[in-house]
Amino acid sequence: MNEIRRSSERGYADHGWLKSFHTFSFADYYDPRHVEFGPLRVINEDRVQAGAGFGTHGHRDMEIISYVLSGELAHKDSIGNGSTIRPGDVQRMSAGSGVRHSEFNPSSSEPVHFLQIWIQPDVQGIAPSYEEKRFSIEEKRGRLRLIASPDQADGSVLIHQDARVYAGLFDGKETATLNVKPGRRVYVHAARGTVTANGSALNPGDALKLTDTEELVLQQGNQAEVLVFDLPGSKS
């Protein structure tokens, strides 16, 4: 199965200080056709105004990844972490048995544009934990750089699920191929720019679901930034 999800088909919420597109059912947006894709539960594309943010709130039993596209995002949590991430940084919080945190835009003038990703873990009730790492432009240029995995391969951040998350930057003739093992499924999210994935042209915010495929080929990028999720299972 190759299924394209266009950006305009996503859920949308405008709270004034926050403008958010929801790839999957979230908060007041519900679509029974788009609740999750395997363990991939949330991809929210958020834009938060300067000086605004999400107050302290709780999570449990969820792997939460924040990926900044522009601006800065500050984080504080109940297990003692506090930091500010920028483009190139990947932040992972395993909520486990329960954690409270806040996220806000520390800038006095510039918005922050980021993706918040939730992946359902394959283990419940673990101790909450936090991690962040930086992946340079050079590491992602013209290739798929592993940024999250269950075994921290290649210096990726740890997630408690049989899933792997890649990030790549593509322009012109740059191309990358991901070999897909039998029984796996793949989700491609075009964070910005345009790119062709297995022959399908994707614009900013578009996505491609792939099942029963042996490989993913990314090419014909134009200032493209792409996230790819290699996930267990073969049914949507």
Side-chain angles (χ1 to χ4, degrees):
M1 177 192 79
N2 289 18
E3 179 185 339
I4 297 176
R5 181 89 190 281
R6 294 299 181 191
S7 174
S8 59
E9 299 170 356
R10 296 179 293 174
Y12 178 68
D14 186 347
H15 301 284
W17 63 273
L18 164 69
K19 293 178 173 57
S20 183
F21 286 96
H22 307 319
T23 291
F24 301 103
S25 296
F26 186 86
D28 293 333
Y29 165 64
Y30 176 72
D31 184 336
R33 300 169 301 168
H34 301 287
V35 174
E36 58 193 23
F37 189 62
L40 181 58
R41 179 62 186 85
V42 168
I43 302 177
N44 286 349
E45 181 183 357
D46 292 342
R47 290 175 172 84
V48 177
Q49 289 185 349
F54 303 89
T56 302
H57 58 284
H59 296 281
R60 64 179 300 124
D61 292 325
M62 193 65 70
E63 303 294 296
I64 300 172
I65 297 171
S66 297
Y67 187 97
V68 177
L69 296 168
S70 64
E72 300 180 341
L73 182 68
H75 165 99
K76 292 183 179 179
D77 63 42
S78 58
I79 52 176
N81 300 294
S83 66
T84 299
I85 60 172
R86 300 168 179 84
D89 296 331
V90 174
Q91 179 190 88
R92 183 271 303 173
M93 185 175 72
S94 296
S97 58
V99 65
R100 294 178 62 79
H101 78 139
S102 63
E103 296 167 293
F104 62 96
N105 180 356
S107 173
S108 60
S109 59
E110 299 298 324
V112 60
H113 180 198
F114 70 102
L115 300 177
Q116 183 161 109
I117 298 154
W118 294 7
I119 296 174
Q120 299 173 85
D122 57 11
V123 61
Q124 304 283 303
I126 62 174
S129 61
Y130 175 91
E131 184 182 11
E132 67 178 63
K133 288 192 175 180
R134 184 165 188 81
F135 299 92
S136 68
I137 290 175
E138 291 75 20
E139 290 180 87
K140 295 178 286 187
R141 169 57 57 200
R143 64 186 291 257
L144 288 172
R145 174 61 163 98
L146 184 66
I147 62 171
S149 71
D151 55 5
Q152 295 180 297
D154 298 329
S156 57
V157 301
L158 174 69
I159 50 174
H160 297 88
Q161 177 55 262
D162 181 21
R164 287 160 182 80
V165 185
Y166 300 83
L169 303 170
F170 299 94
D171 262 309
K173 294 182 179 180
E174 294 171 340
T175 183
T177 299
L178 178 69
N179 294 319
V180 182
K181 294 181 179 179
R184 305 286 293 181
R185 71 183 94 188
V186 173
Y187 195 92
V188 183
H189 179 83
R192 56 183 166 191
T194 61
V195 70
T196 297
N198 281 18
S200 297
L202 303 180
N203 294 312
D206 289 351
L208 178 66
K209 295 179 180 180
L210 296 170
T211 58
D212 300 317
T213 188
E214 296 181 352
E215 66 178 16
L216 166 69
V217 179
L218 298 172
Q219 55 191 354
Q220 297 176 331
N222 182 4
Q223 299 183 7
E225 186 158 8
V226 183
L227 292 182
V228 174
F229 302 83
D230 177 358
L231 305 163
S234 59
K235 298 180 180 179
S236 58

